[in-house]
Amino acid sequence: MEVGAVAAMRYVKDGIKAARLVMQHTGHTLLVGEQASAFAISMGLPGPTNLSSSESVQKWSKWKENRCQPNFWKNIVPVDSCGPYHPKDIAELGKGTCSSANLMAAIESRSSHIGLHNHDTISMAVIDKEGHIAVGTSTNGATYKIPGRVGDGPIAGSSSYADDEVGACGATGDGDIMMRFLPCYQVVESMRLGMEPKLAAQDAIKRIARKFPDFVGAVFAINKNGLHAGACHGWTFQYSVRSPEMEDVEVFTVFP
């Protein structure tokens, strides 16, 4: 039950290292924003660093040229193609500031899916030879997110969770939806009650799909004995495993 996390941390590349420093050297669980960056740098991590790549800058430029579409806004009216945005009820009071109907249609019809090319979550669980379990998740967040957005990555029980007595879980996908269900906490608690990893993972995904049938996401589950499985919805999911007995990493494919 030792946890450390950072969110909305800019200018520092090593998110997992920063989260570990929060766990090791503070009595807090989560640090955010500029102060999280300042903390990480003060603890010896490299920074401040420009983390933009030519690829990300090019993608952002094309997005701006496409009138900032797609995006994560809803029930709003933009003053122009890229905002500022206002709630519809406020905008209707001052008619004449709205953009074209075509732009509104584009905003309203935006798919909420998180696909293979617009997020980059990595979650990993490790069991040492003494049986201690650690799990961590790192992500750059959803592409085209609203500034200030925090997804499920730093939320304990959502993107990852572990208990030495039971096992661990990691998650990836549409974090804005998945974090509402704490799927990894659910997986570990289901295994605690006797479910095998496969059934626990499937149960957690089904709980989300019942409420949000169009969501995209996946979890992996591993119990304290090393038995592992995955479950997914909306895409084909792959995860890799390596144990001391294995000569190389093995990739497992899970179908919806």
Side-chain angles (χ1 to χ4, degrees), residues 109-138:
S109 64
R110 178 193 67 81
S111 171
S112 63
H113 285 183
I114 298 294
L116 293 175
H117 303 293
N118 64 351
H119 87 301
D120 57 358
T121 304
I122 298 173
S123 189
M124 180 181 293
V126 178
I127 305 176
D128 70 14
K129 53 188 176 182
E130 295 181 355
H132 299 307
I133 305 174
V135 64
T137 299
S138 176

Side-chain angles (χ1 to χ4, degrees), residues 21 30 32 40-41 56 61 86 93 98 104 109 197 231 256:
L21 290 169
L30 173 63
V32 303
I41 294 169
S56 66
S61 297
H86 303 292
L93 292 177
C98 303
M104 280 304 301
S109 64

Side-chain angles (χ1 to χ4, degrees), residues 61-78:
S61 297
K62 289 184 177 179
W63 178 69
K64 295 281 284 188
E65 293 170 2
N66 194 38
R67 302 181 299 179
C68 299
Q69 300 301 317
N71 64 39
F72 285 86
W73 291 94
K74 64 180 184 179
N75 300 322
I76 52 84
V77 174

Side-chain angles (χ1 to χ4, degrees), residues 2 19 25 27 92 114 168 174 195 222 234 241 255:
E2 290 293 324
H25 299 295
E92 287 171 356
I114 298 294
D174 190 345
M195 276 193 189
I222 182 168
V241 176
F255 298 97

Side-chain angles (χ1 to χ4, degrees), residues 28-44:
H28 301 310
T29 295
L30 173 63
L31 298 182
V32 303
E34 299 293 334
Q35 295 304 315
S37 302
F39 166 81
I41 294 169
S42 73
M43 297 299 289

Side-chain angles (χ1 to χ4, degrees), residues 6 36 42 61 72 83 90 106 118 125 150-152 181 201 221 225 246 248:
V6 292
S42 73
S61 297
F72 285 86
I90 294 177
N118 64 351
V150 174
D152 66 328
F181 295 81
N225 299 316
M246 300 168 62
D248 200 357

